[in-house]
Amino acid sequence: MQLSANQPNQDDAKDAPSPPDEAPRDTRPDDDISPSLAAINPERFGYAQARHLLWRAGFGGTDAQIRILVGWGPEKSVDHLLNFGDKATIPTFEPLEPSRFRDDIMRPPTEEERRAYRMAQQAQNEDELARLRQLRQDREQEDRRQIGEVQKWWLRRMIETRTPLEEKLTLFWHGHFATSYRTIENSQHMLLQNQLFRTNAAGNFGELLSGIIRDPAMLAYLDNNDSRKDRPNENLAREIMELFSLGVGNYSEDDIKQGARALTGYTFEFNTFQFRKNNHDSGKKTILGQSGTWDGDDFVKIILSKRACAHFIARRLYNFLVADVPPDERGGQIAASVDPAIRAVLRELGDMLYARKYNLRPVLRRLLLSNHFYDDTIMAQQIKSPAMLVVGAVRSLQTPVRDLQLLNQAMDMMGQRLFFPPSVKGWDGGRTWINTSTLFVRQNVLAFLLNGQLPRGVDGQANTEKYDAMALLSAATDAGVQAKEPGPVADHLLKLALGRAPAAGSDALRSYFAGEANQVNNKTVTGALLLITAMPEYQLC
């Protein structure tokens, strides 16, 4: 099955002007990072910059899509990617509507079922008790099957969406507010949380944080559903402050205890948030220096009033979209080794987020248009997450998807299982994605996408789902590529897949084509892509 990746519409490519091979380069020293959040000069927005934008604000793009963005220029391109809230102007293909999934698998027992269980216990009817337990186990097994379908649904959505930044930010919030199905064992709650992230992907962080304290998945994951005024549970308050909003060093242990009191009574019934007033501690609390009879909403507002929150969220977004910024050894402030230019950018982004009352879209627009974002030290330096690797390969190289379940399994082996983050900290990302084991899987999954090759044998559908590698050349404007000359074809494939044509890679591909009698056909182009995707540079975007 071939899935489309039409963001933006590739039919527009015929109307786009041919981009320059290279935009005018910045004349600053190679190791001098631009601290400027001023918008990039449109004359500097060439093929490499448009490709960079599609990878960082989405999951990559085809040659035709890259050339469209070059023709549009930076402002129209960024606005197009950010405008996913307007479904009237950007129709989104929904691979599978969330409503197709059952929402009642893990429903609480009915009063009749509770009565039957009590009667069986009183009568010591072991057969009836075993039957009732088996019904529960059957539902749990069905729910485990459904979370697998939900995983495939989201992976397919990332591949097919016309609004890739929406899905990219949904993935970001999933790692930020990390919640694992392994703990809560309720596929509907995970799906509801996923929809919460998507709805608020580039909206207002304050509204998202208010949604999180009402989210059944999070309430169950951090045990707040059983938090009462006589025994408040501190888990949710702690993680909100430490991992979700402020960072270590910006709160005290007493703030956590008082925040936990504010969150008592915040629970859920079935799939719906419930505020149990009788379980809520309505007494006076002092949180981050502010005193009052605070509840959960007040707790959120107090956190948002602290400038440290805006700077924390700005840094997390920067880590995800731009470059990794390590904290100091205590996990709080930015490490002293971080470049002063990056510090200046983070400070400006945090101040802007605070001034804009946590509205994310204008901050994202400023970042994605900035000179800093397109700095040579930033581009092609981020290690692809497993999701980026898999989804990006399908979207940019236009491979068949072949088997969503197998792709999800490969992502798990590479360290990123959707809906199963390893802890409340989410995925560490960066260099942790790469080791000898995961590199082996990374190369195998790309071979599978390109030619159906499995570690043992060939996928049974490989002959019916053949990869059309020549499609990567058909829209090219380079005369040498159109004439199928091995040298220009090699450089075209390298520029599309790596963002540039490094000399060593270009020489290797020329040697490969020479060994194939300089024939440029589906077999040799696929072989060239196998070589490119095995290069260390392909692991970066």
Side-chain angles (χ1 to χ4, degrees):
M1 173 177 61
Q2 175 70 52
L3 299 183
S4 61
N6 297 321
Q7 170 64 22
N9 193 326
Q10 297 181 72
D11 291 339
D12 294 338
K14 60 180 178 292
D15 299 321
S18 299
D21 287 339
E22 294 290 342
R25 294 181 62 83
D26 199 327
T27 57
R28 289 175 297 101
D30 290 341
D31 60 349
D32 190 9
I33 304 174
S34 170
S36 174
L37 284 175
I40 184 174
N41 188 325
E43 293 182 358
R44 287 193 56 236
F45 190 76
Y47 190 95
Q49 288 74 24
R51 178 188 177 276
H52 173 68
L53 176 61
L54 283 172
W55 272 101
R56 296 298 184 87
F59 302 92
T62 65
D63 178 71
Q65 291 167 347
I66 294 168
R67 290 190 298 109
I68 289 168
L69 264 59
V70 175
W72 283 352
E75 286 206 22
K76 182 175 179 180
S77 298
V78 169
D79 287 342
H80 181 79
L81 289 166
L82 271 170
N83 197 28
F84 53 76
D86 188 353
K87 304 300 183 183
T89 60
I90 304 179
T92 302
F93 174 66
E94 301 281 354
L96 290 172
E97 289 291 345
S99 59
R100 73 176 290 275
F101 298 111
R102 287 184 56 187
D103 64 0
D104 63 344
I105 298 175
M106 299 306 292
R107 61 169 177 77
T110 64
E111 183 54 41
E112 182 180 347
E113 289 168 337
R114 290 192 183 95
R115 185 166 52 251
Y117 192 81
R118 287 195 301 268
M119 291 176 64
Q121 282 184 314
Q122 292 170 0
Q124 297 184 350
N125 188 337
E126 294 299 330
D127 290 340
E128 179 64 7
L129 289 172
R131 185 186 72 82
L132 294 171
R133 283 193 292 266
Q134 185 61 50
L135 289 175
R136 174 71 180 182
Q137 292 171 7
D138 290 345
R139 288 200 300 273
E140 291 170 349
Q141 184 174 356
E142 173 63 16
D143 198 67
R144 287 191 289 271
R145 185 202 65 77
Q146 179 159 285
I147 195 63
E149 294 301 310
V150 173
Q151 286 178 307
K152 290 192 288 185
W153 164 79
W154 191 16
L155 181 57
R156 184 174 176 179
R157 179 169 184 142
M158 284 190 272
I159 290 169
E160 292 191 349
T161 181
R162 289 179 181 267
T163 54
L165 183 52
E166 180 178 43
E167 292 308 313
K168 186 75 175 282
L169 291 172
T170 301
L171 183 62
F172 165 71
W173 293 121
H174 177 41
H176 181 78
F177 293 109
T179 309
S180 176
Y181 173 83
R182 181 177 286 108
T183 298
I184 69 169
E185 296 186 325
N186 189 311
S187 60
Q188 178 63 16
H189 289 181
M190 296 303 298
L191 186 58
L192 288 172
Q193 187 186 75
N194 186 260
Q195 292 291 84
L196 172 69
F197 295 153
R198 186 171 293 104
T199 300
N200 295 277
N204 185 281
F205 175 73
E207 293 179 7
L208 179 54
L209 191 58
S210 293
I212 280 294
I213 65 172
R214 290 169 166 78
D215 174 56
M218 184 63 75
L219 291 171
Y221 186 57
L222 295 179
D223 305 309
N224 206 81
N225 51 317
D226 293 324
S227 185
R228 304 167 179 270
K229 58 186 176 184
D230 56 338
R231 46 184 176 87
N233 188 294
E234 296 179 6
N235 290 350
L236 181 57
R238 181 179 300 278
E239 304 310 348
I240 283 178
M241 289 183 160
E242 178 179 344
L243 298 176
F244 301 162
S245 66
L246 291 172
V248 174
N250 292 307
Y251 60 89
S252 68
E253 283 295 313
D254 194 56
D255 290 324
I256 292 172
K257 295 181 185 300
Q258 300 298 300
R261 291 177 58 206
L263 290 168
T264 52
Y266 280 63
T267 185
F268 62 91
E269 181 67 31
F270 191 14
N271 298 325
T272 306
F273 168 75
Q274 297 285 330
F275 175 63
R276 300 276 169 77
K277 188 174 181 179
N278 291 339
N279 291 334
H280 175 67
D281 184 339
S282 58
K284 185 178 179 180
K285 313 164 188 76
T286 300
I287 303 173
L288 298 172
Q290 299 188 40
S291 299
T293 56
W294 309 131
D295 61 12
D297 288 323
D298 298 315
F299 180 49
V300 168
K301 291 175 183 175
I302 291 170
I303 287 173
L304 296 174
S305 71
K306 300 301 179 182
R307 192 176 292 269
C309 177
H311 284 266
F312 181 83
I313 297 304
R315 177 161 64 87
R316 291 301 300 268
L317 282 166
Y318 184 95
N319 281 355
F320 188 74
L321 296 172
V322 186
D324 185 47
V325 181
D328 65 17
E329 293 180 356
R330 294 166 299 167
Q333 304 303 312
I334 301 170
S337 59
V338 173
D339 190 285
I342 294 177
R343 288 174 170 274
V345 166
L346 289 171
R347 184 165 54 249
E348 191 171 346
L349 288 173
D351 288 344
M352 183 181 180
L353 185 60
Y354 190 76
R356 293 299 184 101
K357 302 185 186 302
Y358 292 92
N359 286 314
L360 297 164
R361 189 169 268 105
V363 177
L364 290 167
R365 187 178 190 273
R366 179 79 172 272
L367 176 62
L368 297 177
L369 279 173
S370 69
N371 283 304
H372 180 80
F373 181 73
Y374 298 99
D375 193 280
D376 288 342
T377 63
I378 298 296
M379 295 197 300
Q381 295 299 314
Q382 186 182 64
I383 297 174
K384 295 173 184 172
S385 68
M388 286 292 292
L389 184 77
V390 170
V391 177
V394 177
R395 290 182 70 97
S396 64
L397 303 181
Q398 298 175 277
T399 73
V401 174
R402 302 192 186 280
D403 188 324
L404 288 165
Q405 182 172 349
L406 193 150
L407 294 181
N408 268 310
Q409 290 171 351
M411 286 172 56
D412 184 14
M413 295 173 68
M414 290 185 282
Q416 190 174 35
R417 188 180 181 189
L418 298 177
F419 299 105
F420 287 81
S423 73
V424 70
K425 290 174 57 180
W427 294 279
D428 290 332
R431 293 183 179 273
T432 65
W433 292 131
I434 302 292
N435 56 51
T436 54
S437 176
T438 59
L439 270 177
F440 181 73
V441 181
R442 281 171 174 252
Q443 293 182 3
N444 280 342
V445 75
L446 288 162
F448 173 69
L449 289 170
L450 289 166
N451 63 13
Q453 185 73 41
L454 293 167
R456 294 186 180 88
V458 178
D459 179 50
Q461 298 185 36
N463 290 328
T464 57
E465 293 185 301
K466 292 185 177 180
Y467 175 45
D468 180 13
M470 298 301 287
L472 299 184
L473 311 181
S474 61
T477 58
D478 189 306
V481 177
Q482 292 178 332
K484 298 183 177 61
E485 298 173 11
V489 166
D491 289 345
H492 174 75
L493 295 176
L494 285 165
K495 188 168 72 169
L496 171 64
L498 305 183
R500 56 195 175 91
S506 185
D507 291 344
L509 288 194
R510 280 172 166 77
S511 296
Y512 164 75
F513 278 113
E516 296 290 337
N518 284 323
Q519 294 294 307
V520 177
N521 52 42
N522 198 64
K523 175 178 175 294
T524 60
V525 173
T526 301
L529 289 170
L530 287 168
L531 289 173
I532 292 171
T533 54
M535 294 178 182
E537 294 89 344
Y538 189 75
Q539 305 303 321
L540 303 173
C541 67

